[in-house]
């Protein structure tokens, strides 16, 4: 394996991405990996983690990149030990140039909006019937094109339009490509330092500055959204507590993407056991209530009942882990799966007892804008 740290900026690495590569990039730091000297696929992330030391020794590699699916028990997690790794960091935010992209010839909502409204109503009713605190329901948009989707250009446009968030791209085991720009850090580990930034509670942005400001203030004041957010933070803290000597929780605070206002909390900790890797911690946390619900098993079962598709790698995790156990894993949201001439975009929202179906539908529409903007589309 070859490793390079210079001369390049994060924007340079995003611009150099080609279909089949792995990319995890913000405007200030980025990792680009290509090729494969070994791969590992398993429906149990802990087995993957246990196999990595031997794979590192046998291959001469020192880092693995890849994806965890939404449901790790039925869809395999997939890791690649790359042939080449390039890293870049910068004190100055920069983005790659934007490219014009083709328009789709067909757009199909999955399900139709009325069916999603009905699913939200059913989910609200099921919360009390099944003793659930929260469930996350998603819908999809299928875009069909007359020619192959230019994956690299989509990735560059995502990086251009979301400089304060994490742009990612990963080839999936079946050859499709998962691309997205997520605001949410599931977990990073650097030496003994652990960091997580859970997000929950959302409100659409607006092009009108007054409305936009009011939307952010309304989110900060929303009891419903603070309840939804607290469910997620409590889960993250309780899962990390056995692994950490200390934990510090700060938030929530108001943060934003170009499309959405969010409530965000920062959780930091000091790791007790240095043998616990970033992948171990990510697997323990995933799926958080931010993308599944709680209790996890019951929420996941309801998701699978009410959504008319298999999430596969949507709402999974994308990231890397190295031979020292350090790594970074982002929550796989604001994303699309690309296969030849087709794209499937995903967006979801957290459902709690106070949820309003139309508001939840509008929230998913706003979240689609991350990918639609990268395509130059307004639907």
């Amino acid at each position: 394996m070859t490793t390079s740290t210079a001369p390049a900026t994060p924007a340079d690495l995003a611009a150099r991405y080609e279909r089949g590569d792995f990319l995890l990039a913000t405007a200030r730091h980025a990792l680009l990996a290509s090729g494969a000297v070994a791969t590992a696929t398993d429906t149990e992330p802990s087995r993957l983690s246990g196999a990595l030391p031997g794979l590192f020794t046998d291959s001469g590699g020192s880092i693995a990149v890849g994806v965890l699916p939404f449901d790790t028990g039925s869809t395999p997690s997939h890791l690649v030990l790359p042939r080449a790794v390039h890293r870049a960091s910068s004190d100055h935010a920069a983005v790659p140039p934007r490219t014009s992209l083709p328009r789709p010839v067909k757009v199909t909502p999955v399900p139709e909006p009325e069916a999603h409204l009905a699913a939200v109503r059913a989910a609200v009713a099921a919360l009390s019937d099944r003793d659930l605190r929260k469930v996350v329901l998603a819908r999809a948009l299928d875009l069909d094109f007359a020619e192959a989707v230019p994956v690299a250009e989509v990735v560059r446009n995502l990086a251009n339009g979301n400089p304060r968030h994490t742009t990612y791209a990963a080839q999936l085991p079946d050859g499709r490509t998962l691309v997205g720009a997520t605001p949410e850090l599931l977990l990073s580990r650097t030496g003994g330092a652990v960091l997580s930034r859970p997000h929950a509670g959302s409100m659409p942005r607006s092009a009108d500055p007054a409305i936009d400001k009011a939307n952010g203030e309304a989110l900060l004041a929303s009891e419903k959204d603070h309840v939804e957010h607290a469910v997620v933070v409590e889960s993250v803290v309780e899962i990390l507590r056995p692994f950490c000597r200390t934990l510090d929780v700060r938030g929530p605070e108001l943060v934003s993407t170009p499309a959405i206002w969010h409530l965000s909390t920062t959780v930091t900790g000091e790791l007790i056991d240095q043998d616990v890797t970033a992948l171990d911690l990510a697997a323990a946390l995933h799926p958080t209530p931010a993308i599944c619900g709680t209790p996890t098993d019951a929420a996941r079962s309801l998701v699978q009942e009410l959504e008319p598709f298999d999430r596969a790698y949507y709402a999974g995790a994308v990231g890397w882990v190295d031979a020292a156990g350090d790594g970074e894993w982002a929550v796989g949201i604001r994303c699309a799966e690309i296969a030849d001439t087709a794209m499937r975009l995903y967006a979801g929202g957290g459902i709690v007892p106070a949820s309003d179906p139309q508001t939840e539908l509008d929230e998913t529409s706003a979240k689609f804008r991350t990918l639609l903007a990268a395509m130059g589309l307004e639907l």
Side-chain angles (χ1 to χ4, degrees):
M1 185 189 78
T2 60
T3 302
S4 171
T5 57
T9 67
D12 292 334
L13 294 192
R16 285 164 53 182
Y17 166 85
E18 295 181 0
R19 184 170 189 167
D21 292 346
F22 174 91
L23 177 72
L24 198 70
T26 69
R28 296 189 181 276
H29 69 274
L31 183 149
L32 175 67
S34 58
V37 296
T39 62
T41 301
D42 202 304
T43 53
E44 178 47 66
S46 64
R47 284 198 296 262
L48 279 182
S49 183
L52 280 177
L55 289 172
F56 287 142
T57 299
D58 294 344
S59 68
S62 60
I63 189 170
V65 302
V67 290
L68 307 182
F70 169 69
D71 184 356
T72 56
S74 62
T75 303
S77 300
H78 182 66
L79 295 179
V80 174
L81 277 66
R83 191 169 300 280
V85 176
H86 305 277
R87 297 176 184 264
S89 60
S90 174
D91 293 332
H92 305 287
V95 296
R98 187 175 178 84
T99 304
S100 296
L101 298 175
R103 296 186 64 82
V105 296
K106 183 180 179 183
V107 178
T108 306
V110 184
E112 293 290 340
E114 283 300 324
H116 187 71
L117 292 172
V120 173
R121 287 191 289 269
V124 171
L127 291 175
S128 58
D129 293 344
R130 304 191 189 188
D131 199 25
L132 289 163
R133 296 180 67 191
K134 175 184 176 179
V135 67
V136 178
L137 284 188
R139 64 189 186 102
L141 280 180
D142 285 347
L143 308 185
D144 293 308
F145 296 82
E147 56 193 54
V149 178
V151 177
E153 284 80 358
V154 175
V155 171
R156 284 192 276 275
N157 284 0
L158 283 168
N160 175 281
N162 300 272
R164 291 187 293 117
H165 305 291
T166 300
T167 297
Y168 59 90
Q171 187 164 17
L172 302 177
D174 64 1
R176 291 172 300 154
T177 305
L178 182 71
V179 304
T182 178
E184 189 167 1
L185 174 68
L186 178 63
L187 187 285
S188 73
R189 197 205 94 160
T190 306
V194 174
L195 170 66
S196 180
R197 285 202 177 97
H199 286 47
S202 306
M203 192 76 73
R205 301 291 306 274
S206 173
D208 183 310
I211 295 175
D212 190 50
K213 182 173 183 288
N215 284 355
E217 291 173 346
L219 178 60
L220 267 180
S222 168
E223 181 180 356
K224 175 261 183 189
D225 288 284
H226 277 273
V227 168
E228 181 184 341
H229 187 80
V231 168
V232 178
V233 175
E234 288 170 13
S235 174
V236 169
V237 169
E238 288 309 304
I239 291 170
L240 288 179
R241 192 181 304 280
F243 296 104
C244 293
R245 184 172 289 106
T246 61
L247 278 176
D248 182 64
V249 182
R250 300 189 180 186
E253 62 177 331
L254 191 65
V255 298
S256 67
T257 74
I260 296 285
W261 288 106
H262 285 289
L263 294 177
S264 174
T265 288
T266 299
V267 181
T268 56
E270 181 186 357
L271 198 61
I272 296 171
D273 182 355
Q274 294 289 319
D275 289 335
V276 176
T277 72
L279 177 57
D280 295 326
L281 294 169
L285 286 170
H286 177 69
T288 74
I291 47 87
C292 180
T294 190
T296 301
D297 290 343
R300 183 163 45 213
S301 177
L302 184 58
V303 165
Q304 291 165 344
E305 287 178 31
L306 295 178
E307 292 179 357
F309 50 78
D310 181 353
R311 288 191 180 185
Y313 294 91
Y314 161 63
V318 182
W320 60 271
V321 61
D322 66 17
D326 290 343
E328 181 176 354
W329 292 85
V331 179
I333 54 175
R334 312 297 147 79
C335 65
E337 292 177 350
I338 302 176
D340 195 24
T341 61
M343 289 182 71
R344 168 164 281 190
L345 284 60
Y346 294 96
I351 312 301
V352 294
S355 291
D356 170 69
Q358 186 60 53
T359 301
E360 297 300 334
L361 179 69
D362 293 343
E363 179 180 325
T364 57
S365 297
K367 289 175 177 176
F368 280 133
R369 284 176 10 211
T370 297
L371 263 294
L372 292 175
M375 302 300 296
L377 299 173
E378 290 187 18
L379 302 178

